[in-house]
Structures are given as structure tokens and as C-alpha cells.
Amino acid sequence: MGHAEYAKRGKPDIVCAAVSALTIGTVNSLTELAGERIKVTANEETGFFKCDFEGILQEKSNFLVDSMVFSLENISREYGRKYLQVKFEEV
């Protein structure tokens, strides 16, 4: 079963795959293309993923993050909050 528990056991979990592709792709773009410094905390077993930015993001980086959030919120609406909840925490 995938982390999102959308698919039945033994079947591909498209929600988990979509979220993984979006989050990992965005973090890779932020670090490699925009040069941002990010501390990532992840747990593959639970599906937990957290990013701590080590400074104020550039305008292009904000756009990348906004795009990711927009896509994640769309997935949550399409497949349901049972499978994906988008939460924000500012510190």
C-alpha cells in the first residue's frame, strides 16, 4: 500500500506518486536551479516530508513553491483530504 493509502495493497498509489514527484522535483529545482539552501527531513516509511529554508527565498523560488502548493491542493481536492492534507507552518 502506498503512503497515501489511495490504492489497494499491491497496486500503484497514484496519489503518493504524484505528491512525491511534485515535492522532490520542486526541492531539486530550488537547490539546483535557484541555488537555495534547504534542510530536508523525510521518512520514506511514513511518507513524512519537511523543508526548512535557510534564508529568504528569491522571487523565482517563491514561484516554484507556489506552483507546487497549487498542484498539491488540486490533488487534495481531486482525490480527497482522506489521502492528502496540505498544512503550513510558519516559524
Side-chain angles (χ1 to χ4, degrees):
M1 188 177 314
H3 294 117
E5 297 182 0
Y6 179 76
K8 294 182 182 193
R9 189 169 200 75
K11 300 290 182 185
D13 190 328
I14 59 172
V15 174
C16 182
V19 170
S20 295
L22 281 167
T23 54
I24 293 167
T26 300
V27 168
N28 288 342
S29 294
L30 288 167
T31 56
E32 297 299 320
L33 301 177
E36 298 291 352
R37 294 176 48 129
I38 303 169
K39 179 183 174 196
V40 175
T41 305
N43 183 319
E44 286 189 33
E45 289 183 27
T46 65
F48 178 81
F49 190 84
K50 177 183 175 186
C51 293
D52 291 310
F53 302 105
E54 296 182 4
I56 297 171
L57 295 180
Q58 304 168 64
E59 185 177 338
K60 63 183 170 183
S61 299
N62 279 320
F63 181 80
L64 288 170
V65 172
D66 288 345
S67 177
M68 178 191 70
V69 169
F70 176 77
S71 297
L72 291 171
E73 288 174 337
N74 282 334
I75 292 170
S76 181
R77 279 191 294 279
E78 180 73 25
Y79 293 96
R81 290 184 45 85
K82 175 181 177 184
Y83 303 108
L84 173 62
Q85 295 178 22
V86 180
K87 297 180 183 182
F88 298 93
E89 181 180 330
E90 288 189 38
V91 291

